[in-house]
Structures are given as structure tokens and as C-alpha cells.
Amino acid sequence: MNRILDLVKNEIVCVFRDKKNTANFYVGFVLGYDDDNLLLECLNQEGEKEGIAIIKNKDIYLIETKNEYIDEIKDKCDRPSMMDMYDHEDVLQELFNYLIVENEMVCIETNHSDQIDLRGVVKEIIDGWIRVNIYREDGNEERDGVSYCRIEDISMIDKV
């Protein structure tokens, strides 16, 4: 799979992971990958960035580099905004190290729930888990607690 991802790393791709629902796919730029995971900076229909999908390589069954959907958004979007992570053995570790340094608010989706499960600032990586300082959604800057989330359960991250 890494050889295939090397070939498409500067292109917009569609990545399919749900064989039961082929209308469900991710579109975006490959930010990086390792033997286990693919990081994809996702784009919506308008070519706007929508966060970073974390896709298990073993779940991917199809990658497309040209189709009508890609052609529609290709001219509307900018290049990836995140650092590229091609030269790292563990892209998730690198991603969370980056988020810790940036110290910015992020929304985290877990287990492909299609909702925001955590909203806060990633502060630490501990044995395959991240510690997130949680903040209220009402715009109040007051911290609302701390959550720990298993990294392998995270399916999408987006900056607030």
C-alpha cells in the first residue's frame, strides 16, 4: 500500500473504507502514512478543508485519483495546510506531537460517529492515549475538564 500512496501523495484522492456503503468516502490530500494509518486532509464539495481523517490502512479497499467528484473540487481548493508527514515511521505520533506544540483547540470524532466527541486542546500522549483539556462549546474560555482518548479510536480531527 505504501508504494501506491507514494504515487498519489500530491494529488486529491478519494479513499473508500466502507464496502457496505460505497457512497461513503473521504476526499482530500494525503498528508502522510505509515504501515498502519493514512492521514488525509479532507475537503468538502466546495474544496474547503474539513479536518484530518485517520484511516486504518487495513480498512481501505479503493483509492481513486480521478473521478467526477474530484474534478469538481480540484480547482476550488488550496494545497494541504498541515505539515507533510511522509518521512515519519509513526504518523499518528507525529500528528499529536504537532497538535501539542500548536496548542490549538480541536474537535475530535471517535469511531466514525459523525459527531464531535471531544472539543479541547491536546496536551499529552500517554501509552497510546491522548490527554485533552476539554473546553465548553458555548465559547466560554473556561476549561471544563480533562478527557483521555485512545488514539486508535480517533477517526477525525479538525481545528476549531
Side-chain angles (χ1 to χ4, degrees):
M1 166 101 89
N2 288 355
R3 288 187 59 211
I4 293 168
L5 294 172
D6 274 340
L7 295 172
V8 300
K9 67 182 178 182
N10 294 315
E11 298 182 48
I12 298 174
V13 297
C14 286
V15 178
F16 295 80
R17 58 166 285 283
D18 186 351
K19 291 180 182 178
K20 294 178 183 165
N21 183 3
T22 57
N24 185 5
F25 55 88
Y26 296 97
V27 176
F29 292 103
V30 175
L31 291 179
Y33 56 85
D34 57 26
D35 290 338
D36 300 316
N37 298 290
L38 166 68
L39 300 182
L40 192 75
E41 186 165 45
C42 295
L43 303 169
N44 66 17
Q45 293 173 333
E46 302 305 316
E48 298 164 337
K49 294 172 179 75
E50 286 201 324
I52 299 169
I54 300 169
I55 307 167
K56 305 262 185 271
N57 291 348
K58 67 179 178 53
D59 294 338
I60 298 171
Y61 72 93
L62 177 64
I63 298 173
E64 292 183 347
T65 59
K66 181 151 179 63
N67 62 31
E68 285 182 42
Y69 190 80
I70 290 173
D71 289 343
E72 284 180 28
I73 65 173
K74 190 178 276 188
D75 295 329
K76 299 178 187 176
C77 65
D78 297 324
R79 286 292 184 216
S81 60
M82 294 275 300
M83 58 188 273
D84 80 51
M85 300 180 194
Y86 290 110
D87 298 326
H88 303 284
E89 287 183 25
D90 185 342
V91 292
L92 294 183
Q93 181 82 28
E94 189 64 26
L95 173 63
F96 289 109
N97 285 338
Y98 172 82
L99 292 173
I100 289 167
V101 169
E102 290 295 306
N103 200 41
E104 290 185 29
M105 187 83 66
V106 294
C107 294
I108 298 173
E109 171 196 280
T110 59
N111 299 305
H112 306 283
S113 66
D114 291 328
Q115 66 184 16
I116 296 171
D117 297 304
L118 298 170
R119 182 181 185 277
V121 178
V122 179
K123 297 310 256 181
E124 186 177 15
I125 303 168
I126 308 167
D127 298 328
W129 292 66
I130 57 169
R131 178 173 65 90
V132 181
N133 285 353
I134 302 299
Y135 291 86
R136 294 169 35 175
E137 292 184 40
D138 62 7
N140 188 330
E141 294 298 319
E142 186 177 319
R143 195 169 91 185
D144 200 29
V146 174
S147 290
Y148 295 87
C149 180
R150 210 170 33 179
I151 291 173
E152 70 183 45
D153 290 334
I154 297 171
S155 49
M156 179 74 80
I157 296 176
D158 195 8
K159 289 185 179 182
V160 175

